[in-house]
Amino acid sequence: MLDHSKLRGITSKGLLPCPPCCPCRFALPVAWMAQPPPDPHFVLRGTGAAVHALHFSCGGGEPDIPVLFSGSENGFIHVWNLKTHRVDAALDGHGRKSVCGLKTMDGKERLLSQGRDQRICLWDLAEGRTSVTDSVFTENVGFCRCSLLKVAEGRWLMATAAKALEEVQVLELPSKTSVCTLKPEVGAKLGMPMCLKLWQGSCGSQPSLLAGYEDGSVLLWNLSTGKVLSQLICHQEPVMSLDFDSEKAKGISGSSEKVLSIWSLNEQQNLQVQKTHRLVNAGISDITIRPDKKILATAGWDHRIRIFGWKKLKPLAVLDYHTATVHSVSFSDHKSPSDRLLAAGAKDHRISIWSIYTQT
Amino acid sequence: MDEPQRQRLHALLRVAQLRQLLLQRRLRKGGHGGGPAPRRACSARGRARRGRTDSNPVPQDGRPPSHPATRGQRAASTGRQEGQATQRPPSGAGGRRAAHARPVGEARQDAADARCLFVRGGACAVRATATFLTALSPLISLGLFVAPRTRAVPPSLPAREGLTPGAGRRCPAARPRGRALRLSSEGEPAGPSHPGHPAMAVFDTPQEAFGALRPACVQLTKAQTVENVAQLEARLAAVGAGALQELQEYVLFPLRFALKVPGPRRERVVQRVLQCLSAVLLGTRVRSPRLLRELLSELCSCLPAPHGAPAPAEELQLAAVRALLALMHSAQGDAIVALYQPSCLPLLGFAVSLLLGLAERERAKQIKLAALECLQVLLLQCECQEHRCLREEEAQRCGDLFASFLPGVSIALSRIIAGDVKQGHRTTVSAIRLFYQIVGLVMADEQLARVPKQKEKPSVEQSRIAELIVHRGPEWSRSTSEKLSLLLRKTVELSSVHSHWKVRLELVELVQHLLSNCRLSLVDSFTHLLKALVGLVNDENSEVQSRCNEVLRGIAEQQVIAQSRALADVLSENLHSLATALPRLMNSQDDTGKFSTLSLLLGYLKLLGPKVNVVLNSVSHLHRLSKALMQVLELDVTDVKIVEDRRWGCVGGYDPSGSVQHGVQKGRCQRKYFRFFTEEKIFQLLQQVCRVLGYYGNIYLLVDHFMGLYSESAVYRKQAAMVLNELIAGAAGVGVDVLQEREVSLSMDDLKGSIMSILEEYTDQANWYLVTSIDTEEVSHEQLSVPRSGLAALPGAASSSILPSPEQHITTRTMNSNVWQLCIQLEGVGCFAAVLGREFRLLLLSALYPVLEKAGDKTLLISETAQGTLVDICEACGYDSVQSLINENSDYLVNGISLNLRQLAHQPHAAQVLGTMLRHSDASLLPLVEDVIQDVLSALDQSYNDQASTFLGVLHSLMAALVQWFGLSCSKEHQQRQAAEGQSRTLSHIQQEITSQEVERFFLDYIKQKQIAEGNFSDSGDEEADEVSPLAKPEPSNCDTEGETPLPSHAQLAKDVMERCIHLLSDRNLRVRLKVLDVLELCVTVLHPHGNHLLPMAHRVWPALVTRLISDDPLAVLRAFKVLCTLAQKCGDFLRQRFSKDVLPKLTSSLLSQAAASARAGPVYNHTLAYKLQLAVLQGLGSLCEKLDMGESDLNKVADACLVYLSAKQPMKLQEAAQSVFRHLMRVDPDSTWLFLTEVCCPHPYEPPHASLQPVKLRGMGRQRNEFTDSILLLLEELQQRESAGAQRAPPP
């Protein structure tokens, strides 16, 4: 049975037609099938290169202009004004090397960008400034995106792959002091970390780190002890991306193979596979769970964005627009749910913006 | 005032005059027992007298009294005078008096009666009889008092006879005009020292003056004759103003005495006396209240009583009125104050009633006017400076007094106003003025506010008088205002359509005056008053107009309406009823009527000003108003031309001049035709109505309401859109003409919010994609994609109704309506842009794409309007041109196109937008749209089965644009080459001509060879170099680089497009094939400079093209030939062989085989396919041969095939086409063509110039004239001409 609330709005124009006496479980899939595939709300062009990273910053109040940051292969970070759908500013801070990660720290004024030039830069964008105020030299040559977690007011933790091949380093920002370095046991042969997710359970609990490795395993690290809490081999291929829902203690990971894997974390802090979902085409480059934990989006190498219900991993929609590998998907953080958006950046230099939130 | 009394007032008002008459009679009967007999006698005499005067119009002053009757009368009255003056007989004794003494007594009697009776407007006439004696007492005492003093004056001063003639001169002519003039000149205080009598001695001291005046006075007292009066008058002229003032009463005595003289009245004497009296009064001031009262009553007695005695001569009446006027003007200070006391109410009432009677009944304009003027003064409404404004408490008291007269006065005045037009506008004007002045005084809000709730208990001694005084309590004011409302309504109705503008102007004043004074008390009347005022805004007279505007503005500025709820209610009530009646009026009235009705509507709205908002909050008002607007604004959609007008240029080649920048001027708004009116100014009024609504009204409410109407029914849609557009303009304050500023101006955000919601609705699928044409090509998509308006009303239907509704019958009417709908919406978009200015840039994201879509529409009207909208947007958003608008927003457009391309079935217009963009922009756009062009191509790849035609349109515009942007270089070089070729060819021809003999040619060849051997051919400039260079020049650069550098993007695009064309060339649909051929030709043109890419493509195109050439519809064959020609220009060699191998044999054979058929065929053959094919081939073949530069054998084949078509048996068209082939052949190879033709038919024998040469023998010589002769002769002739022309043109080598 389909969850109606998730389905509604996955159309190009507003609501799905839903009969008044809506027996949704039968009527809807049919109606949905009859629908043409949804269209993007808008497509942003002009990055001039493949888009690797996306990050929304739309949480501000009314006078604040919602913004989307995009990082592209040519090392530029574009600041897109989501009202005019145009580039407000183009930031060049990674020596024309691909930008692979973007995060903001409290609003759109402070931007954290990670580039393939092995640097993580902190930008000051307030009042039209576009200067790098600080930077961290990671010395890592991999593709692993860093993960950022706010632990207290003015205090962040950032996990990033370190210089050594298998290591992950956790820094505290803005002081840049190292919290810990997470080294797998000798002989674990995990390969490089591919993706990281810092998370913190219900308030007060210790922040933990989930890391996906080249060999297809996902490890849960305890940051205070620097020890592995649990290890789960859920893929045969490198884990390309993962996301974790700390409320349900459930995560999802995608790799270069045709499988999505859902795993959960039990009370004993053990990871276990809950379910796998087979895809038609191999390769997932990014996975994001919507902040309201209802649906998730995957960026596929098959040029498609897939939307699933998070609860049961029910496929809801396939968003087909791009003509090349999709590198990144991101959900916006608009205050009003009706404004919220999904953005996907792809190798075809375009960023597609989708409006797939329910109207209610 | 108690209830029954009020009722009686009401009843009695109408019969006041009648009652008075009755009562007079009763009194007279009761008083002196005299029946109606003396009266009758009197009136008979009066009639006779009057008749005499009329028949004897020489009442010159200074003339000796010769008339026996006059003399007799005078004698009688002189004899009587003593007794009359000394012992005042009681009035009751009047009956026993001699008949000739009657008039004076009776007049006084009547006066007294009437005074008592009418003072209260007849309200309590019965009771008034009781006060009769009281009222009369002043008169009696006056008489007793005055007489002794008169006697006391010794008549000692000798009369200055010399002055008489002068006085005579000064005295008036009988004609009223002359008298009026004189009176006015004497009206000045310096009257006695009139500049007309410089020699006159002036008596400045009272003693001197007394000396001068006394004899005349005495004389006059003794004998009341005209001469005596004239004498006095003459003396008076010499008396200084100060002295006269001293002697005022003295001088007045004989005059007054003359008036009161018992016995029959001598009109001329009385008239003269009255004139003299006014002169005295004008020169002096009446300071004593008593004197004033007495004079007033005496003068009143000279006026004819209403319905009473026969009216005296007009001159007399006039003189009396003027004397009264003079009296009132000369009254001063205390005298006035004393007069306007309750105790004088009867007297005043009497005067008023008399004057009213005069004004109403008298025929002479002069008298009417004078009476009205006099009334004005009497009611203290005089405008002259001497009369200071009343103080507050005075005004209050006067108001109380005049309230008693109000009913009578107002009725009488309104009767005058309603009177015959012949009475002249001045009468009406002064009546209106007096009317509003008195009403304004009595009903003044501030006075009524001060009136105590309860009537004061009158003190005992005054009680009788006090009873006469009306208590202006709330009840009274309510009932009075009800009655006044009736009168006002009548007045307004009559005078608002009065033919004289001054009357209308006075009406405006009336409204203004009442509106400023009686806002509360007369609230009921304002319905009509405001209606009149608002209606007069558009008066034909500019003065009325401007005054009206001024008044309206004043009202608005003082916020009269805003502050008074009652008035706002009145206005909104008016508005409501007008809105209700509007559709009916619009149906029935003519344009002028409609205009005034609508101006009324507009006026109400303007007057309401900010209160409009309140009014609109009432559902019923809004409903009425909007429905009325909907009905009035209904468009006439029967014009067939609208649908028929198509935009050309999209289908037929690229038309650079059609781009927006050149084509559209600003300010064009498609003229709309309405069902209910034709005049543009009516539409402008309606526009103003909407704008004013938008200006004052709550924009959210209005927009919401009209949006509701918009989506409610297709019937309202156009009108609602029109209204919405104007509302927005009004809300932004654009082009609104209002009387007062709104309180809070609309914030930009609110405006933007409304505009965004409207825009969204306008550009919604259901409202934007309407069926506007039944192009076979397009309608299939349209029907597929366009949700019907009926369905669209259902929410969600827009997205789900993919299924067509074929049963819907689309009439021209519907389409017309749709066209207008779109135009209005497009205009709306333009208007919104203008309103928002630069802010509109944000909305371009959603608005630009739809507009551009419509700019590419095939219906002329729509595309023109859309282009106008584009210009508007440009201006509003600050772009230099449409081009920069498109270029700078190409990202939005590209986004729209690319998204819509994904759903072609629903959005067949996406391609059109791209087409429009390309048409309106320049080369700089290309990099921006490359992306989307790729999308188009890939979309085409996916769906070329059903959407090919749409896409080809885009590809065509794309290629056409590319040719235009980048084709310059190719074509330039192309032209160069052609020119060079042509030159070389002519050169060669000429050379051939010159070296026609073998020897010479050989010789020249030799020289050439030698030069080449010497390496000196560069500057020789002969044909070989010419032939090589133009071909070679562009070649190296291209050839060398093409291998390495990638193609420029436009060429790459052309290549991509060409690739698609290859596939589409064999489409089943002829239209598609034709379009493909067009596009192909353009592709070839663009790819021209890039031979290395063109040739492989040409190679791939070839097979499909051959099929088109050989076996296709004639149309396609013709186009294919064109393509081939274009292609041949570039890759001639490449094609030549293929052509001669693949195509030519088949063409020639088919031509030859068909020739027989066509030669035999009749006129019907012209309609067959075979004929068309023949024609197409023949038309194309010639140019192709030329372009391909074909070899001799091929040319011969062509010539052979075409020869048969030169036959006269062939249809004319085919002959012509065949001739054209030969013409082309002539260009390629004139000699062989000549030879070929002469072989068939040779008209001239060619004689060898020298006997040693062989005679020329041609096969065609000497042949019989046959079917080919005509054509061939024609061709040979042309050839001859060409040759000779070429020889002349070309310089000798």
Side-chain angles (χ1 to χ4, degrees), chain A residues 85-125:
Chain A
H85 294 190
R86 283 184 176 153
V87 176
D88 271 357
L91 315 173
D92 179 16
H94 288 284
R96 306 294 155 105
K97 297 279 173 51
S98 172
V99 176
C100 60
L102 289 168
K103 297 278 186 289
T104 49
M105 299 163 74
D106 279 349
K108 61 180 182 181
E109 266 77 45
R110 294 175 77 198
L111 174 72
L112 199 71
S113 71
Q114 182 185 16
R116 294 295 308 283
D117 62 346
Q118 305 173 23
R119 287 205 312 157
I120 295 174
C121 298
L122 183 63
W123 297 81
D124 176 18
L125 302 179

Side-chain angles (χ1 to χ4, degrees), chain B residues 1187-1208:
Chain B
K1187 296 276 160 61
L1188 282 175
D1189 200 10
M1190 291 206 288
E1192 207 173 333
S1193 62
D1194 288 334
L1195 289 184
N1196 281 337
K1197 265 188 216 163
V1198 172
D1200 280 334
C1202 294
L1203 182 62
V1204 285
Y1205 288 94
L1206 288 179
S1207 159

Side-chain angles (χ1 to χ4, degrees), chain B residues 977-989 1026:
Chain B
R977 202 183 62 180
Q978 271 196 328
E981 271 176 8
Q983 208 183 358
S984 72
R985 216 170 265 161
T986 17
L987 270 178
S988 70
H989 296 160
D1026 274 347

